[in-house]
């Protein structure tokens, strides 16, 4: 995948993590179901299709890796390691903090994408033209 594609994927994953927090907060606030059941249900959610780790999350050995930066991956691991280990109010506060953190990360990824994606495309076009000229 090209650099611009990876940047776009980071934007998409961070958006889906924000959506996941909102959906999870509704589930926890409304029904207070067991956390594993909520995550299992979220794993089937089509709007979260880039969050593959939801489908086979092992709560005993949490080691989630996504396309995001290492710092964001650590935040994701921290969130899932602490989900369901306290009362609903504390869990909702944890989700809200994570959501705000992901919003900042998403903004960072989108700003970087906007400033660099055009450069990557232009490098690709000029590189292709250079190869064409050399081969002619």
């Amino acid at each position: 995948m090209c650099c611009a594609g990876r940047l776009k994927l980071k934007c998409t994953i961070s958006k889906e993590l924000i959506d996941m927090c909102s959906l999870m907060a509704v589930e926890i606030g409304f029904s207070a179901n067991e956390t594993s059941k909520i995550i299992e249900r979220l794993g089937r959610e089509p709007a979260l299709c880039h969050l593959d780790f939801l489908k086979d999350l092992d709560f005993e050995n949490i080691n989630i890796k996504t396309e995001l930066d290492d710092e964001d991956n650590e935040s994701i691991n921290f969130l899932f390691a602490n989900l369901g280990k306290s009362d609903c109010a504390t869990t909702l506060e944890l989700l809200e903090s994570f959501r705000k953190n992901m919003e900042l990360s998403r903004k960072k990824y989108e700003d970087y994408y906007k400033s660099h994606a055009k450069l990557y495309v232009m490098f690709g076009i000029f590189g292709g033209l250079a190869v064409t000229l050399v081969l002619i």
Side-chain angles (χ1 to χ4, degrees), residues 86-110:
S86 58
D87 62 342
C88 286
T90 306
T91 302
L92 290 172
E93 288 175 13
L94 177 67
L95 283 169
E96 181 63 19
S97 296
F98 178 78
R99 188 184 62 77
K100 287 179 181 178
N101 184 35
M102 273 300 115
E103 285 176 349
L104 291 174
S105 292
R106 179 182 177 197
K107 181 168 177 19
K108 175 183 72 173
Y109 294 134
E110 287 178 346

Side-chain angles (χ1 to χ4, degrees), residues 61-127:
N61 186 20
I62 295 177
N63 188 21
I64 299 168
K65 294 196 187 313
T66 66
E67 295 290 324
L68 303 181
D69 295 341
D70 290 338
E71 180 181 300
D72 290 329
N73 282 329
E74 287 176 20
S75 296
I76 296 167
N77 283 306
F78 179 80
L79 172 72
F80 282 97
N82 290 295
L83 275 178
K85 295 196 175 174
S86 58
D87 62 342
C88 286
T90 306
T91 302
L92 290 172
E93 288 175 13
L94 177 67
L95 283 169
E96 181 63 19
S97 296
F98 178 78
R99 188 184 62 77
K100 287 179 181 178
N101 184 35
M102 273 300 115
E103 285 176 349
L104 291 174
S105 292
R106 179 182 177 197
K107 181 168 177 19
K108 175 183 72 173
Y109 294 134
E110 287 178 346
D111 289 347
Y112 192 82
Y113 176 76
K114 287 175 187 173
S115 66
H116 288 76
K118 291 177 185 175
L119 288 173
Y120 294 136
V121 171
M122 294 307 286
F123 286 142
I125 290 171
F126 287 127

